[in-house]
Amino acid sequence: IVKHMYGDKVEYLSVDTDDLARSRNITATLGVDISSVRYSVADSGILYILTNTHELRRANLSQSTLSGPLAASVAEFSMPNRDTVIYSTLPDESGVRAVGYVSSGLTTSKQIMSYKNMKDTPVHASIGTYYGEQYAVISHGEVIDIYQGDTPGSDAKPAVSLKKVASYTAPGGVDYV
């Protein structure tokens, strides 16, 4: 993915280095203003997009389709594995930020955690598997919490079941997890 800036405009390009004719202008193809874009870990024809209006969406480049919002008020997102897109939200009017996820291929998001009084404090999150156990790492302010447990499919009825297994202080805050 190439970010192309010209004047006050920004567009994202998907460049195929094996066959340049298959390269695509993602912004023009999907007709949406993009602030961040990542290829799906599971399928390079699928993209996850954060729009300028802070909506998380899924795009299928080969079909030139764009999903409806998977999550709203999203500050940042990542796809640390084949199955999960994890995100943190912007603060709401009362300063609450949340962390949630969307399972690959599904259309409903599920909240993992929320934090009060975070109006001016970033929240970052990641999720992964270590020796067969699933872990979530969430930083909020100068605190880094590590949780272990199950995250069912984001459209499933069961609640997220995570247990805090560690907590650390990072003086000065955290920029990325």
Side-chain angles (χ1 to χ4, degrees), residues 23-86:
S23 297
R24 308 273 304 266
N25 182 323
I26 300 166
T27 306
T29 298
L30 301 174
V32 65
D33 291 327
I34 300 170
S35 68
S36 180
V37 61
R38 306 272 186 277
Y39 285 113
S40 165
V41 175
D43 181 347
S44 63
I46 303 294
L47 302 170
Y48 286 90
I49 293 171
L50 181 59
T51 67
N52 286 353
T53 57
H54 302 284
E55 296 172 333
L56 178 62
R57 294 177 173 234
R58 182 184 307 108
N60 184 318
L61 266 185
S62 61
Q63 297 177 4
S64 300
T65 58
L66 183 65
S67 74
L70 303 171
S73 296
V74 174
E76 64 185 31
F77 76 96
S78 65
M79 188 170 192
N81 61 43
R82 299 180 61 83
D83 302 319
T84 311
V85 178
I86 190 163

Side-chain angles (χ1 to χ4, degrees), residues 6-176:
Y6 57 101
D8 63 345
K9 298 190 187 251
V10 176
E11 62 186 5
Y12 288 85
L13 311 171
S14 175
V15 178
D16 187 327
T17 57
D18 292 328
D19 182 2
L20 288 177
R22 292 182 45 196
S23 297
R24 308 273 304 266
N25 182 323
I26 300 166
T27 306
T29 298
L30 301 174
V32 65
D33 291 327
I34 300 170
S35 68
S36 180
V37 61
R38 306 272 186 277
Y39 285 113
S40 165
V41 175
D43 181 347
S44 63
I46 303 294
L47 302 170
Y48 286 90
I49 293 171
L50 181 59
T51 67
N52 286 353
T53 57
H54 302 284
E55 296 172 333
L56 178 62
R57 294 177 173 234
R58 182 184 307 108
N60 184 318
L61 266 185
S62 61
Q63 297 177 4
S64 300
T65 58
L66 183 65
S67 74
L70 303 171
S73 296
V74 174
E76 64 185 31
F77 76 96
S78 65
M79 188 170 192
N81 61 43
R82 299 180 61 83
D83 302 319
T84 311
V85 178
I86 190 163
Y87 63 88
S88 62
T89 64
L90 298 168
D92 66 13
E93 59 280 343
S94 61
V96 174
R97 288 181 181 253
V99 171
Y101 68 96
V102 177
S103 300
S104 183
L106 300 180
T107 59
T108 306
S109 62
K110 189 174 285 265
Q111 185 173 305
I112 294 176
M113 219 43 81
S114 66
Y115 299 93
K116 296 178 182 177
N117 302 317
M118 294 284 142
K119 185 172 185 161
D120 298 318
T121 306
V123 173
H124 309 289
S126 189
I127 198 163
T129 303
Y130 183 70
Y131 285 103
E133 299 289 333
Q134 191 167 34
Y135 290 87
V137 178
I138 302 172
S139 72
H140 48 102
E142 294 187 341
V143 177
I144 302 167
D145 292 325
I146 301 174
Y147 298 90
Q148 189 271 321
D150 295 322
T151 52
S154 60
D155 65 349
K157 294 269 186 228
V160 175
S161 175
L162 296 175
K163 175 184 166 191
K164 188 186 293 187
V165 294
S167 188
Y168 302 96
T169 301
V174 177
D175 293 327
Y176 178 82

